[in-house]
């Protein structure tokens, strides 16, 4: 199993297929294997070399508890470490939800390492969803996840909770995101489930700024879990434009 090393942490990833490199970064509570499980990898691997990264704190990657390890610059550096480990100069970077936040970080801190940028399920203008009481908190998020999708949250044992909380809390960092996306000088795709909160604002942002968009049925998780093949084919078409 391949691992990249960055700032003393091991970052696990998988690789399948051959061709231009696409790096997939999953959302909170998921892992690298989820891209394969939900059909995204199989829709891409016949034309591309697809690397799926276990985000720090998830899957087989290291799981430090210190919040200092989870800021955006360092997390983006994890993705670049995988690109380096694979011997490539640039990659088509794709992220969903938390992975979209990481992908924006690559655009912000390592723009020359991008061949294209695809951001799904993440509103990089406002960050975490807001309710009447303010931004979503980790406590509310993990309670909701354990009640509605327990199979995704069952691995978060007490000894790992601090790392997952640090992942979540870091998502509040959105400063510089808009400028990073617009100044990246690579093709940008914004993709969302039609019933997901970021869908409408990201569609508007894309229309206002001449970016590519993709819409699939479903909500935040449902789009990926139920329509992964369509997402993979759409990303493949977008990347194949170049």
């Amino acid at each position: 199993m391949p691992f990249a090393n960055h700032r003393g942490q091991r970052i696990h990833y998988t690789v399948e297929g051959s061709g231009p490199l696409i790096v997939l970064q999953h959302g909170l509570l998921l892992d690298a294997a989820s891209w394969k499980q939900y059909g995204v990898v199989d829709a891409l691997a016949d034309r591309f070399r697809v690397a799926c990264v276990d985000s720090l704190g998830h899957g087989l990657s290291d799981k430090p508890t210190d919040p200092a390890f989870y800021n955006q610059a360092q997390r983006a550096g994890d993705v670049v470490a995988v690109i380096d480990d694979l011997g490539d100069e640039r990659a088509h970077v794709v992220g969903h939800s938390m992975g979209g936040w990481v992908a924006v970080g690559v655009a912000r801190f390592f723009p020359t390492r991008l061949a294209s940028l695809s951001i799904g399920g993440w509103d990089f203008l406002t960050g975490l969803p807001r309710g009447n009481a303010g931004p979503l908190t980790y406590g509310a998020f993990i309670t909701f996840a354990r009640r509605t999708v327990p199979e995704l949250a069952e691995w978060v044992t007490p000894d790992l909770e601090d790392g997952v909380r640090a992942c979540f809390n870091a998502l509040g960092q959105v400063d510089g995101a808009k400028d990073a996306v617009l100044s990246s000088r690579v093709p940008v795709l914004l993709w969302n489930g039609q019933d997901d909160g970021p869908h409408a604002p990201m569609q508007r942002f894309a229309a206002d700024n001449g970016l590519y968009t993709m819409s699939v049925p479903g909500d935040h998780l449902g789009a990926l879990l139920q329509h992964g093949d369509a997402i993979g084919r759409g990303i493949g078409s977008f990347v194949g434009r170049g």
Side-chain angles (χ1 to χ4, degrees):
M1 293 181 292
F3 288 85
N5 288 280
H6 180 232
R7 64 237 169 79
Q9 303 297 309
R10 297 194 317 159
I11 305 299
H12 172 258
Y13 65 94
T14 63
V15 185
E16 189 170 334
S18 60
L21 177 62
I22 296 180
V23 176
L24 304 178
Q25 181 65 83
H26 62 81
L28 197 65
L29 302 184
L30 297 176
D31 58 14
S34 61
W35 295 106
K36 176 74 172 181
Q37 179 181 354
Y38 301 128
V40 179
V41 172
D42 288 346
L44 291 169
D46 61 332
R47 291 182 292 154
F48 303 99
R49 184 168 44 140
V50 185
C52 303
V53 181
D54 272 330
S55 182
L56 190 74
H58 293 69
L60 298 179
S61 291
D62 285 347
K63 300 175 177 64
T65 58
D66 185 348
F69 283 104
Y70 292 92
N71 70 57
Q72 192 177 41
Q74 294 199 60
R75 301 282 293 288
D78 293 341
V79 173
V80 172
V82 170
I83 298 171
D84 286 341
D85 207 52
L86 289 167
D88 283 54
E89 289 296 321
R90 301 194 303 161
H92 301 278
V93 175
V94 179
H96 177 252
S97 193
M98 177 185 71
W101 174 82
V102 174
V104 169
V106 178
R108 184 180 178 200
F109 297 104
F110 304 95
T112 62
R113 308 306 301 272
L114 288 172
S116 71
L117 177 66
S118 300
I119 305 164
W122 179 249
D123 186 337
F124 52 81
L125 301 177
T126 61
L128 290 166
R130 299 183 66 89
N132 293 333
L136 181 67
T137 64
Y138 173 75
F141 163 77
I142 198 66
T143 298
F144 179 79
R146 284 171 170 151
R147 185 175 68 249
T148 58
V149 282
E151 67 277 11
L152 297 184
E154 62 186 3
W155 66 270
V156 185
T157 53
D159 59 314
L160 300 179
E161 186 109 35
D162 285 347
V164 178
R165 181 183 292 105
C167 279
F168 179 91
N169 289 339
L171 298 178
Q173 181 183 349
V174 294
D175 52 302
K178 176 182 175 181
D179 289 343
V181 171
L182 293 179
S183 65
S184 60
R185 298 187 179 183
V186 297
V188 177
L189 172 70
L190 305 183
W191 57 276
N192 296 278
Q194 295 165 1
D195 299 320
D196 194 3
H199 183 269
M202 291 295 94
Q203 289 274 315
R204 289 193 297 270
F205 184 87
D208 290 344
N209 293 282
L211 307 181
Y212 295 99
T213 61
M214 176 174 63
S215 298
V216 296
D219 57 16
H220 189 69
L221 272 179
L224 180 63
L225 274 58
Q226 299 165 18
H227 303 282
D229 178 72
I231 290 171
R233 285 186 280 108
I235 290 170
S237 295
F238 164 70
V239 170
R241 294 173 189 267

